[in-house]
Each structure stands twice: as C-alpha cells, then as structure tokens.
Amino acid sequence: MTQRIPVVAGNWKMNFDHLEATYFIQKLAWLLRDAHFNYKAADIVIMPPFTSIRSVEVLVEAEKMKISVGAQTVSETAEGAFTGDISAQMLAKLGCSYVIIGHSERRKYHPEDDANLVDKVRAVLAAGMSPILCVGESFEERRQGIELGYAVQQVSDVMRDFSDEEARKVLIAYEPIWAIGTGMVATPQSAQDAAGAIREYFRTTYGESVSESVRILYGGSANASNASSLMEGPDVDGFLVGGASLDAEEFSRIARLTVKSAKDRAHRAA
Ligand code: 13P
C-alpha cells in the first residue's frame, strides 16, 4: 500500500478577523514547537477567510512553520467584471496551496453546483494548487440507505473528465452534512466505508496508481476525542476540521493524534 501523507486542514469558515488569526497562529506555533511536531509527517493546512490569508502567511513564514495556507472557495473565472470574486491565480500568487471546492455550506448558500464545480477544480489545478472537493449526504439520503452511492456520484459528477495527473492532485473530503457542526460524528466504520467507496471510484476510473495517491479526508464534528478512531480505517487520510480548528490546542492535538494514528496504521500494515 502506498504511504499517503495525512492531511489536517482547519476550515475556519467565517471566523477570526486578521488580528484574531495572528493570535491563533502564534499560539499554534508555540504548541507545535513545544510538542516537537514533525512537520514532515503531515500536511497541516489553515484555511482562513480571504481577509486573513496574508496575515496568516506572514506569521507562518516568520515562525518558520512548515504548514500550508488555503482558501475556502474560488471563482471559476480568471478575471473581469465579477464583483466580489477572487480568482485562483490571485490565491496562488498569495501563496495558497489548497482551495476547498463545493463545501455543503457553499452549495447551500451560494450557486456552487456540479456545473461550476468542475470549472473551479480546473481553475485551482491550472493555478498549481490542490482542490479539496467536498461531498457527503444529508440525513435524508442516509435514512434511505443510499449515502455511499450519493457521495460517489457527487465525486463522479465533478471528477469524470480529468487527466490522471490532474486527478492525482485532487483531495476529497467526505463530509456528511448531518455531522457538520452538530456534534454527531460518523462512526469510524461509516467514515471508512465512504472513503473506501470513493477510493474504489478512483480505482475504476483512473486506475490503481491514482487511487492510491488521492487523499480522502473525513469532516463533520471531528475533534481530538474521535480523531484516532476515525483514522483506523485504511482509506481515511486525515481531516477537514471546522469548529475544533478554532481552538489552537484542540487543533494541535488533532494534528498530533493524526500523525500517531497514521504511523501506527503503517506499522500494522507492514
Ligand atoms: P465541523 O468540524 O464544525 O463539524 O465542520 C466540519 C466542516 O464543515 C469542515 O469543512
């Protein structure tokens, strides 16, 4: 089995102005340094609101933290008369490495749907960044027992026409809507079932090598108490964390537990 580097991404959503963001990063730097955190063992990503991206980056650089910065959405167009929009090029130039695409909150409150999601993924890849495509069922699909097919269909609707090289750079976040911000977390088995089904989609569409490279994250009330058990499934490669990413201590604990779980898992598989 290919060794995939786990990802712990903090989606701050619409929280923290740039001063609060600065305070958070200072605290995180101190916590990770104190814990002798091995930055090579995981990709830690902070995804602030647009207004805090630059402040976060400046501090990450000053503190010599080996973490990445990302954005929570992006325009599918390159430039022009699109009031309020931000292009992928602008984010790349700023130093962003990841962009969330199709988060359920964006699908609900903004016109982010399968048609423009494909173009957004394309724009992010063309700018040299990695998209984190979010999928996941609502309570209704789960009640009907169609949650796996639903998540795979959402992946397939966006991902079917990319090259192998492009597909390899995409991350998928399985975020069941009923688990987001509710304190109700998927069981380790259902997180694994979804991640396994999504990886199987990549295997049948793009082949073994791509499917073994794509990182599949879990999101939805993930925290330091459930991170280790959620990482037990072989196809879960880390987390897209919402609420718990706003607490530097909790976020650094999740990062450390994810690294430890990935290491334990690799030992078990060897
Ligand atoms: P919570 O961790 O707050 O449930 O949010 C998950 C999420 O939406 C991350 O993108």
Side-chain angles (χ1 to χ4, degrees):
M1 197 180 80
T2 321
Q3 194 66 38
R4 292 180 294 272
I5 298 185
V7 177
V8 181
N11 173 11
W12 284 0
K13 309 191 178 183
M14 198 172 71
N15 292 288
F16 291 169
D17 62 33
H18 72 290
L19 298 175
E20 292 164 324
T22 304
Y23 174 74
F24 176 98
I25 297 295
Q26 266 163 347
K27 192 164 173 191
L28 185 66
W30 181 83
L31 287 164
L32 294 177
R33 198 175 306 129
D34 200 47
H36 303 287
F37 185 75
N38 176 10
Y39 285 111
K40 288 199 182 107
D43 289 340
I44 306 296
V45 190
I46 298 289
M47 314 189 89
F50 289 131
T51 48
S52 300
I53 289 177
R54 191 67 194 136
S55 310
V56 167
E57 278 174 345
V58 167
L59 206 55
V60 162
E61 225 173 281
E63 296 281 355
K64 299 191 173 32
M65 298 165 83
K66 302 273 182 291
I67 68 175
S68 304
V69 181
Q72 300 171 15
T73 185
V74 70
S75 170
E76 60 274 26
T77 41
E79 62 182 352
F82 299 98
T83 302
D85 283 350
I86 304 284
S87 78
Q89 269 308 334
M90 291 170 178
L91 294 173
K93 201 116 195 205
L94 209 48
C96 287
S97 316
Y98 295 86
V99 183
I100 297 174
I101 303 292
H103 191 282
S104 56
E105 287 149 15
R106 300 287 313 174
R107 292 184 197 243
K108 182 171 174 192
Y109 301 119
H110 299 272
E112 245 174 74
D113 55 30
D114 292 340
N116 63 25
L117 291 182
V118 176
D119 293 334
K120 286 178 194 287
V121 168
R122 246 183 238 300
V124 170
L125 288 169
M129 301 180 290
S130 293
I132 303 180
L133 174 65
C134 296
V135 299
E137 80 284 359
S138 69
F139 185 72
E140 181 52 28
E141 285 94 32
R142 175 152 287 255
R143 197 186 60 76
Q144 292 174 35
I146 56 167
E147 66 273 14
L148 296 185
Y150 185 83
V152 168
Q153 187 63 47
Q154 282 184 311
V155 174
S156 151
D157 285 345
V158 177
M159 287 307 303
R160 58 183 160 221
D161 286 330
F162 288 91
S163 70
D164 287 9
E165 274 331 293
E166 288 171 324
R168 209 182 280 281
K169 293 184 188 129
V170 174
L171 290 81
I172 306 293
Y174 169 64
E175 299 207 312
I177 295 170
W178 51 268
I180 295 177
T182 58
M184 288 194 291
V185 67
T187 61
Q189 187 60 55
S190 58
Q192 165 57 30
D193 288 348
I198 291 165
R199 197 171 306 288
E200 186 53 32
Y201 162 80
F202 278 97
R203 185 169 290 120
T204 51
T205 312
Y206 289 101
E208 185 72 15
S209 162
V210 171
S211 81
E212 284 298 314
S213 312
V214 169
R215 288 176 294 174
I216 302 173
L217 315 182
Y218 169 79
S221 299
N223 59 35
S225 316
N226 54 39
S228 299
S229 53
L230 285 162
M231 279 291 289
E232 274 166 21
D235 290 303
V236 178
D237 300 314
F239 301 99
L240 185 53
V241 187
S245 75
L246 300 173
D247 177 330
E249 282 183 38
E250 182 80 359
F251 189 65
S252 80
R253 265 199 295 272
I254 298 172
R256 283 181 284 139
L257 289 166
T258 302
V259 167
K260 183 175 182 318
S261 305
K263 219 164 155 186
D264 292 349
R265 197 165 73 181
H267 279 147
R268 280 199 303 274

